[in-house]
Amino acid sequence: MGRDRFLRQSLGSLYSRIKESRVLLVGAGGIGCELLKNIVLTGFGEIHVVDLDTIDLSNLNRQFLFRQEHIKKSKALVAKASVAKFNPHVKIEAHHANIKDPAFNVAWFKGFDLVFNALDNLDARRHVNKMCLAADVPLIESGTTGFNGQVQVIKKDRSECYDCNPKEIPKSFPVCTIRSTPSQPIHCIVWAKSYLFTEIFGTSEDDSPELDHSEDSENAREMDNLRQEAQALKRIRGSMGSDEFARKVFEKVFHEDIERLRSMEDMWKTRKAPEALQYDKVLESASGIDSTVASRDQATWSLEENFVVFSDSLRRLSTRLQRSQAQTSNGDAPPILSFDKDDVDALDFVAASANLRSMIFGIEMRPKFDIKQMAGNIIPAIATTNAMVAGLCVLQAFKVMRDNLAKAKMVFLTKSTDRIISSEPLRPPNPDCPVCGVAQSSLEVDTSRATLNDLVEGVLRNKLGYGEEFSVNNEVGTLYDPELDDNLSKSFSDLGIKGDSFLTVIDDDEEEPRVNLVLAITEKPLPEGAKPIVGPDRLDVARRPRPIVTNGQSNGIAVPAKTNGIPGKRKRDADDNDLAEEQIKKRGKVAEEPTRDIIVLDDPGSNGAIVIDED
C-alpha cells in the first residue's frame, strides 16, 4: 500500500486501469530510458520493450539505465534489469529484436492497450504508426532534436497519424545514430566523425574511468574484449607516423572489429552480416590510383579510391598532429585535432572511412560533397530534453487511458521561444493521407492455394462490388490492374505475398472512386473444400469526397495537382492526351502544376498548459 499510496491519490480511479493495462515501448535509447522509468514508476501493469541496439560508450552520458559494465550488451535486456528494481510489482518483457520482424505482427500489436514510440529512425516510426493503425491501438509518438522535442497522440479515425503530413529526411541527427549494425549512410558518417576521428586524433575511449570488474561471466568476456581493443588502440596511436600506421588502423576497424561483430550470430538472423576487408588485397587492387582522386568531390569513389583517400588523409592528419605535439611545451595539455567540415584533411578522412564502412555493411556509398553536408548537421542529444519529452508522454497517456482525447494535445519543446513548452489540439486525420486516410480490413489466406484471381474476382468484384478500374499493389509494386493481368493465375506464395504483409487496393473509378483499401494478410491453412480466402462478410469502403472547388481552392486549401491532367484519374486516354498536347502548342511552353499550399491553423483559445484532469 505504501508504494501505491501517492499514485492512487494522484490518479484516482484511473490508477486501477493503469495497473491492469498492457503497454508497448519501442526503443530503449535516450527517450526510451526516461520513458521506461516513468511508466514503471507510474505502475503500468505489463510493459514490453523492443530494441535492436546494443549499448555504446557514447550512450552513457544520457541513457542513465546503463553503466560501463553494460557496454555491448542489449539495451532492451539491460533496461529491463535496471528498472525492475524501481517497481518489483510490474511485469516487464524485453525483446532484443527489430520491431519490423515478422513476429511483431498486427495480431501481436492488438494485444496492447497503448504503444509508446521512442525511436530515432524515420522508417521504424512509420512502420509502428502503420501497425498501430491496423491494430486500432493508440500510439504516443515522441522525438527530440537537440533542445527541441515533440509529443503526438495518434488514434485511428480520431487524430492525425505520423504520415498525415509529409516528413522530410532529417538533416540533423543525434549522436546515438552510431550503431553496431548501421543501415544508412548517415550511421557510417557519424561513426567516422564522432568515433574513429576522435579515437585517433582526439581523446581515446581508453582514457575513460576504469571499468567495474564485478560482472558476471558474460560481462567478463565482454570486458576482456574491450580491454583488448583498448590496448590495440594504444598501440595504434603509439605507432603514428610509422609506415605501418595506416595498416594497423585499417585492420583494426575494418577487419578485426568487423569479424568480432560477425561472431555475434544472433545479430544477423534477420539481416545480412557485414563483410570484413583485407588490407593487402585492397592495397594491391588500389595500385596506380593517385591521391588526387580526393578532389573529385561529387563522384562516388570506388572501394580502391576510398582506400587511397583514407590512407593519404590519415598520413596528412598524423603529420599535423605530430607537428603540434612537437611544438607543445612541457606541462601543456596534449594537442588534439577536432573535426571541421571545412578542414579538407579531416573531411577526406571522414568521407573515405564512412564509405569503407558502408561498403562493409552493404550500404550505399556517398560522394564527399554529400558527406560534407550530412556531417555538418550532426547534433548531440540532450538528456534534459529526453526527460521532459518522456514526462509529457506519460501525461498524454493519462488522457488516452481515460478515453478523453478531446483534452489530449500535440506538445512541442522549443528553446528558441519565450515559452519552452507549447501545445495545440489534436488535428483530425488528413483525408488524403496514404496511411490513415484509407479503409482497412484483414483477410485469412491459404497462400499455397489462393490465387490473385481469387482476390480480384472472388473478393473485390463479387463480394465488395468493385468495378473494372482498380489496381492491387504491395510494397514491391503493382500486382494487378486492367492492363496487367498476367499474375491472376499465380498463387499468393508464387507472388511472394506472405502472412503479416499488406495489399493496397486503389479504386480508379472515374465517377465515385472508393478510398484506398489496405488489406492485412494473415496466413492460415484452410480446408481443401473451403474457399482459399476468408474475409469479413460485410465491408463498407467509403467513397472519396468530392472537393468543392472555388477559384482553384477547396475549402480554403489549394486543390491537389491533377493526375495526368484529369482529377482522380490514374490514366489518361487518347483524347485527353491530344487535347493536352494541343494546349501546350498554343501556349508555347509546358504548363506548370499548381503549388499545394500548406495552411497551419493556430488555436487562440489554447493556453498551452499541461493539466492532469480529475475524474
Side-chain angles (χ1 to χ4, degrees):
M1 180 63 184
R3 178 183 292 272
D4 298 344
R5 176 185 174 188
F6 295 110
L7 285 172
R8 292 180 183 275
Q9 290 178 350
S10 301
L11 300 175
S13 60
L14 178 62
Y15 177 69
S16 60
R17 185 175 180 187
I18 286 176
K19 195 170 183 179
E20 296 171 358
S21 65
R22 193 168 183 263
V23 300
L24 168 64
L25 170 62
V26 187
I31 298 175
C33 279
E34 293 282 352
L35 190 47
L36 181 59
K37 175 257 298 181
N38 287 349
I39 58 181
V40 164
L41 292 176
T42 303
F44 284 88
E46 183 177 341
I47 303 167
H48 286 244
V49 186
V50 179
D51 198 306
L52 175 66
D53 201 10
T54 55
I55 299 162
D56 187 78
L57 178 65
S58 63
N59 302 144
L60 303 187
N61 71 333
R62 63 196 177 280
Q63 298 174 21
F64 71 98
L65 296 180
F66 310 139
R67 299 289 182 267
Q68 288 273 5
E69 63 268 23
H70 299 142
I71 291 175
K72 303 300 182 183
K73 281 193 166 186
S74 162
K75 285 186 175 182
L77 297 174
V78 173
K80 171 189 172 180
S82 297
V83 297
K85 304 170 186 176
F86 299 167
N87 188 348
H89 302 303
V90 174
K91 180 182 178 181
I92 307 172
E93 295 288 341
H95 307 270
H96 179 56
N98 190 334
I99 192 60
K100 298 176 72 174
D101 287 349
F104 306 126
N105 53 23
V106 173
W108 188 77
F109 271 83
K110 285 183 178 179
F112 296 100
D113 299 296
L114 182 63
V115 177
F116 294 93
N117 236 2
L119 294 162
D120 62 355
N121 180 303
L122 184 63
D123 184 54
R125 280 174 163 170
R126 284 176 164 162
H127 176 78
V128 174
N129 174 67
K130 182 178 180 179
M131 297 299 283
C132 286
L133 291 171
D136 197 12
V137 176
L139 168 66
I140 297 183
E141 165 66 40
S142 61
T144 62
T145 305
F147 289 100
N148 299 330
Q150 85 284 334
V151 175
Q152 178 183 5
V153 176
I154 297 171
K155 183 69 171 72
K156 181 181 178 181
D157 299 330
R158 301 282 299 277
S159 68
E160 279 186 341
C161 79
Y162 186 73
D163 281 312
C164 273
N165 294 307
K167 301 291 190 301
E168 294 183 0
I169 297 176
K171 295 182 180 179
S172 297
F173 299 86
V175 174
C176 60
T177 51
I178 299 176
R179 296 285 186 257
S180 58
T181 54
S183 59
Q184 299 177 30
I186 187 62
H187 296 159
C188 299
I189 294 169
V190 177
W191 174 86
K193 172 195 170 183
S194 299
Y195 169 72
L196 185 59
F197 184 91
T198 54
E199 188 70 29
I200 298 175
F201 303 109
T203 303
S204 172
E205 284 187 358
D206 191 38
D207 294 333
S208 300
E210 290 296 320
L211 301 177
D212 183 359
H213 301 298
S214 59
E215 62 270 309
D216 56 32
S217 58
E218 181 183 354
N219 254 348
R221 289 193 298 270
E222 191 61 40
M223 292 301 106
D224 184 62
N225 287 332
L226 288 176
R227 293 186 193 98
Q228 292 179 23
E229 288 185 10
Q231 291 302 316
L233 292 172
K234 273 189 174 181
R235 291 193 296 271
I236 289 172
R237 290 170 67 99
S239 65
M240 185 178 293
S242 70
D243 295 337
E244 292 296 304
F245 185 51
R247 175 188 290 272
K248 289 180 178 180
V249 174
F250 187 98
E251 290 183 342
K252 165 69 172 60
V253 297
F254 299 126
H255 184 80
E256 295 171 12
D257 290 354
I258 302 304
E259 289 294 338
R260 183 172 176 275
L261 282 174
R262 283 178 60 90
S263 68
M264 302 177 185
E265 296 180 358
D266 289 344
M267 195 178 291
W268 314 112
K269 286 182 177 179
T270 58
R271 63 192 303 157
K272 182 181 177 182
E275 296 290 340
L277 298 177
Q278 301 285 345
Y279 181 85
D280 290 327
K281 185 177 179 180
V282 181
L283 176 64
E284 181 180 355
S285 60
S287 61
I289 298 177
D290 193 85
S291 61
T292 55
V293 69
S295 62
R296 295 169 48 222
D297 62 346
Q298 298 199 32
T300 301
W301 302 330
S302 66
L303 168 64
E304 292 76 15
E305 289 170 336
N306 277 293
F307 174 84
V308 169
V309 176
F310 169 82
S311 301
D312 186 64
S313 60
L314 185 65
R315 177 191 56 78
R316 284 180 271 148
L317 290 167
S318 301
T319 301
R320 283 172 49 183
L321 183 58
Q322 288 182 308
R323 188 181 300 119
S324 298
Q325 290 171 342
Q327 297 172 354
T328 302
S329 303
N330 291 334
D332 291 345
I336 62 173
L337 299 181
S338 299
F339 176 81
D340 186 335
K341 62 183 177 63
D342 296 317
D343 181 334
V344 175
D345 298 340
L347 182 60
D348 285 349
F349 178 80
V350 167
S353 300
N355 279 333
L356 288 170
R357 186 168 172 86
S358 294
M359 172 70 72
I360 288 169
F361 285 90
I363 300 169
E364 177 189 9
M365 296 191 293
R366 293 295 184 90
K368 184 172 76 170
F369 179 86
D370 291 350
I371 291 175
K372 179 178 181 179
Q373 306 306 312
M374 299 170 77
N377 281 308
I378 298 168
I379 64 172
I382 308 297
T384 307
T385 311
N386 292 337
M388 294 174 71
V389 164
L392 292 168
C393 285
V394 176
L395 292 177
Q396 296 305 310
F398 292 160
K399 299 171 185 179
V400 174
M401 297 297 290
R402 283 195 176 99
D403 294 323
N404 194 357
L405 285 181
K407 292 189 176 180
K409 304 285 185 182
M410 291 183 65
V411 190
F412 305 93
L413 300 182
T414 310
K415 183 176 182 288
S416 59
T417 60
D418 294 335
R419 173 184 287 174
I420 294 176
I421 298 179
S422 60
S423 66
E424 62 181 51
L426 299 182
R427 300 172 186 171
N430 178 1
D432 295 324
C433 175
V435 178
C436 73
V438 300
Q440 294 183 335
S441 187
S442 59
L443 298 175
E444 291 182 351
V445 181
D446 188 334
T447 56
S448 62
R449 293 197 299 124
T451 64
L452 189 60
N453 189 63
D454 291 326
L455 173 65
V456 171
E457 295 293 339
V459 177
L460 297 177
R461 286 204 174 106
N462 296 338
K463 199 170 185 179
L464 300 183
Y466 275 78
E468 292 298 319
E469 289 288 332
F470 67 87
S471 63
V472 180
N473 309 266
N474 66 358
E475 64 274 7
V476 176
T478 300
L479 299 172
Y480 166 81
D481 68 23
E483 297 177 359
L484 177 64
D485 56 7
D486 301 347
N487 294 325
L488 287 176
S489 61
K490 296 180 181 179
S491 69
F492 273 51
S493 57
D494 290 339
L495 293 171
I497 305 172
K498 302 177 181 178
D500 305 316
S501 61
F502 294 88
L503 296 179
T504 302
V505 182
I506 302 175
D507 189 1
D508 296 310
D509 184 82
E510 295 184 6
E511 297 299 325
E512 290 184 306
R514 296 170 170 86
V515 299
N516 292 354
L517 172 61
V518 176
L519 299 170
I521 304 301
T522 300
E523 192 170 359
K524 183 178 180 180
L526 298 171
E528 283 296 329
K531 292 182 179 180
I533 300 179
V534 177
D537 293 332
R538 179 180 175 82
L539 178 63
D540 293 324
V541 182
R543 302 285 177 172
R544 295 177 196 167
R546 286 179 173 271
I548 303 173
V549 180
T550 305
N551 295 328
Q553 291 193 336
S554 172
N555 298 329
I557 300 177
V559 177
K562 296 178 181 179
T563 303
N564 290 337
I566 305 296
K569 266 190 169 182
R570 186 169 57 85
K571 301 175 183 175
R572 174 187 288 171
D573 55 35
D575 292 339
D576 297 331
N577 193 54
D578 293 340
L579 176 61
E581 289 181 359
E582 184 65 26
Q583 290 175 334
I584 290 172
K585 289 177 181 178
K586 290 180 179 180
R587 295 175 186 172
K589 61 178 182 179
V590 178
E592 296 179 352
E593 292 184 345
T595 303
R596 182 177 182 129
D597 298 323
I598 299 175
I599 300 176
V600 179
L601 301 178
D602 187 22
D603 181 7
S606 172
N607 59 10
I610 308 298
V611 180
I612 301 180
D613 307 304
E614 296 181 358
D615 241 351

